[in-house]
PDB file of all heavy atoms in Angstrom:
ATOM      1  N   PRO W 797       0.692   2.189  -0.900  1.00  0.00           N
ATOM      2  CA  PRO W 797       1.542   3.372  -0.971  1.00  0.00           C
ATOM      3  C   PRO W 797       1.346   4.290   0.235  1.00  0.00           C
ATOM      4  O   PRO W 797       0.276   4.331   0.840  1.00  0.00           O
ATOM      5  CB  PRO W 797       1.109   4.072  -2.260  1.00  0.00           C
ATOM      6  CG  PRO W 797      -0.194   3.477  -2.642  1.00  0.00           C
ATOM      7  CD  PRO W 797      -0.323   2.153  -1.949  1.00  0.00           C
ATOM      8  N   ALA W 798       2.411   5.026   0.576  1.00  0.00           N
ATOM      9  CA  ALA W 798       2.350   5.966   1.686  1.00  0.00           C
ATOM     10  C   ALA W 798       1.450   7.147   1.327  1.00  0.00           C
ATOM     11  O   ALA W 798       1.395   7.580   0.177  1.00  0.00           O
ATOM     12  CB  ALA W 798       3.746   6.461   2.019  1.00  0.00           C
ATOM     13  N   THR W 799       0.756   7.653   2.320  1.00  0.00           N
ATOM     14  CA  THR W 799      -0.118   8.811   2.115  1.00  0.00           C
ATOM     15  C   THR W 799       0.713  10.093   2.181  1.00  0.00           C
ATOM     16  O   THR W 799       1.824  10.086   2.717  1.00  0.00           O
ATOM     17  CB  THR W 799      -1.213   8.867   3.194  1.00  0.00           C
ATOM     18  OG1 THR W 799      -0.593   9.142   4.452  1.00  0.00           O
ATOM     19  CG2 THR W 799      -2.004   7.579   3.247  1.00  0.00           C
ATOM     20  N   PRO W 800       0.181  11.195   1.649  1.00  0.00           N
ATOM     21  CA  PRO W 800       0.905  12.472   1.766  1.00  0.00           C
ATOM     22  C   PRO W 800       1.230  12.826   3.217  1.00  0.00           C
ATOM     23  O   PRO W 800       2.284  13.371   3.508  1.00  0.00           O
ATOM     24  CB  PRO W 800      -0.053  13.482   1.140  1.00  0.00           C
ATOM     25  CG  PRO W 800      -0.866  12.679   0.170  1.00  0.00           C
ATOM     26  CD  PRO W 800      -1.020  11.332   0.835  1.00  0.00           C
ATOM     27  N   ARG W 801       0.340  12.496   4.147  1.00  0.00           N
ATOM     28  CA  ARG W 801       0.582  12.769   5.568  1.00  0.00           C
ATOM     29  C   ARG W 801       1.796  11.987   6.067  1.00  0.00           C
ATOM     30  O   ARG W 801       2.615  12.522   6.811  1.00  0.00           O
ATOM     31  CB  ARG W 801      -0.662  12.416   6.376  1.00  0.00           C
ATOM     32  CG  ARG W 801      -0.540  12.791   7.843  1.00  0.00           C
ATOM     33  CD  ARG W 801      -1.838  12.609   8.536  1.00  0.00           C
ATOM     34  NE  ARG W 801      -2.636  13.780   8.234  1.00  0.00           N
ATOM     35  CZ  ARG W 801      -3.713  14.139   8.892  1.00  0.00           C
ATOM     36  NH1 ARG W 801      -4.159  13.386   9.863  1.00  0.00           N
ATOM     37  NH2 ARG W 801      -4.373  15.222   8.574  1.00  0.00           N
ATOM     38  N   GLU W 802       1.929  10.718   5.646  1.00  0.00           N
ATOM     39  CA  GLU W 802       3.093   9.924   6.046  1.00  0.00           C
ATOM     40  C   GLU W 802       4.375  10.503   5.461  1.00  0.00           C
ATOM     41  O   GLU W 802       5.413  10.513   6.112  1.00  0.00           O
ATOM     42  CB  GLU W 802       2.911   8.466   5.641  1.00  0.00           C
ATOM     43  CG  GLU W 802       1.873   7.752   6.467  1.00  0.00           C
ATOM     44  CD  GLU W 802       1.530   6.382   5.908  1.00  0.00           C
ATOM     45  OE1 GLU W 802       1.635   6.182   4.684  1.00  0.00           O
ATOM     46  OE2 GLU W 802       1.144   5.532   6.709  1.00  0.00           O
ATOM     47  N   HIS W 803       4.313  10.996   4.229  1.00  0.00           N
ATOM     48  CA  HIS W 803       5.485  11.626   3.622  1.00  0.00           C
ATOM     49  C   HIS W 803       5.895  12.872   4.408  1.00  0.00           C
ATOM     50  O   HIS W 803       7.085  13.117   4.620  1.00  0.00           O
ATOM     51  CB  HIS W 803       5.210  12.000   2.160  1.00  0.00           C
ATOM     52  CG  HIS W 803       5.178  10.842   1.234  1.00  0.00           C
ATOM     53  ND1 HIS W 803       6.270  10.028   1.013  1.00  0.00           N
ATOM     54  CD2 HIS W 803       4.179  10.343   0.462  1.00  0.00           C
ATOM     55  CE1 HIS W 803       5.955   9.084   0.148  1.00  0.00           C
ATOM     56  NE2 HIS W 803       4.683   9.250  -0.203  1.00  0.00           N
ATOM     57  N   THR W 804       4.930  13.646   4.854  1.00  0.00           N
ATOM     58  CA  THR W 804       5.227  14.842   5.638  1.00  0.00           C
ATOM     59  C   THR W 804       5.863  14.458   6.965  1.00  0.00           C
ATOM     60  O   THR W 804       6.860  15.048   7.385  1.00  0.00           O
ATOM     61  CB  THR W 804       3.941  15.673   5.862  1.00  0.00           C
ATOM     62  OG1 THR W 804       3.399  16.010   4.589  1.00  0.00           O
ATOM     63  CG2 THR W 804       4.231  16.936   6.657  1.00  0.00           C
ATOM     64  N   ARG W 805       5.306  13.457   7.623  1.00  0.00           N
ATOM     65  CA  ARG W 805       5.888  12.980   8.889  1.00  0.00           C
ATOM     66  C   ARG W 805       7.335  12.540   8.675  1.00  0.00           C
ATOM     67  O   ARG W 805       8.222  12.907   9.436  1.00  0.00           O
ATOM     68  CB  ARG W 805       5.091  11.796   9.439  1.00  0.00           C
ATOM     69  CG  ARG W 805       3.855  12.152  10.140  1.00  0.00           C
ATOM     70  CD  ARG W 805       3.291  10.910  10.862  1.00  0.00           C
ATOM     71  NE  ARG W 805       2.122  11.303  11.593  1.00  0.00           N
ATOM     72  CZ  ARG W 805       0.882  11.041  11.216  1.00  0.00           C
ATOM     73  NH1 ARG W 805       0.646  10.376  10.113  1.00  0.00           N
ATOM     74  NH2 ARG W 805      -0.129  11.439  11.946  1.00  0.00           N
ATOM     75  N   THR W 806       7.551  11.741   7.656  1.00  0.00           N
ATOM     76  CA  THR W 806       8.888  11.225   7.371  1.00  0.00           C
ATOM     77  C   THR W 806       9.861  12.367   7.081  1.00  0.00           C
ATOM     78  O   THR W 806      11.008  12.361   7.542  1.00  0.00           O
ATOM     79  CB  THR W 806       8.837  10.234   6.195  1.00  0.00           C
ATOM     80  OG1 THR W 806       7.949   9.165   6.555  1.00  0.00           O
ATOM     81  CG2 THR W 806      10.202   9.677   5.877  1.00  0.00           C
ATOM     82  N   TYR W 807       9.419  13.364   6.338  1.00  0.00           N
ATOM     83  CA  TYR W 807      10.247  14.530   6.027  1.00  0.00           C
ATOM     84  C   TYR W 807      10.686  15.235   7.311  1.00  0.00           C
ATOM     85  O   TYR W 807      11.875  15.490   7.525  1.00  0.00           O
ATOM     86  CB  TYR W 807       9.468  15.484   5.120  1.00  0.00           C
ATOM     87  CG  TYR W 807      10.126  16.825   4.943  1.00  0.00           C
ATOM     88  CD1 TYR W 807      11.217  16.984   4.094  1.00  0.00           C
ATOM     89  CD2 TYR W 807       9.665  17.941   5.639  1.00  0.00           C
ATOM     90  CE1 TYR W 807      11.831  18.214   3.938  1.00  0.00           C
ATOM     91  CE2 TYR W 807      10.269  19.176   5.485  1.00  0.00           C
ATOM     92  CZ  TYR W 807      11.349  19.313   4.639  1.00  0.00           C
ATOM     93  OH  TYR W 807      11.954  20.535   4.493  1.00  0.00           O
ATOM     94  N   PHE W 808       9.734  15.557   8.180  1.00  0.00           N
ATOM     95  CA  PHE W 808      10.066  16.266   9.412  1.00  0.00           C
ATOM     96  C   PHE W 808      10.917  15.400  10.348  1.00  0.00           C
ATOM     97  O   PHE W 808      11.841  15.907  10.994  1.00  0.00           O
ATOM     98  CB  PHE W 808       8.806  16.736  10.131  1.00  0.00           C
ATOM     99  CG  PHE W 808       8.167  17.949   9.516  1.00  0.00           C
ATOM    100  CD1 PHE W 808       6.823  17.955   9.201  1.00  0.00           C
ATOM    101  CD2 PHE W 808       8.898  19.106   9.272  1.00  0.00           C
ATOM    102  CE1 PHE W 808       6.219  19.087   8.649  1.00  0.00           C
ATOM    103  CE2 PHE W 808       8.312  20.240   8.721  1.00  0.00           C
ATOM    104  CZ  PHE W 808       6.968  20.225   8.410  1.00  0.00           C
TER     105      PHE W 808
END
Side-chain angles (χ1 to χ4, degrees):
T799 67
R801 185 172 279 196
E802 289 170 331
H803 286 298
T804 302
R805 280 190 177 104
T806 301
Y807 169 77
F808 283 129

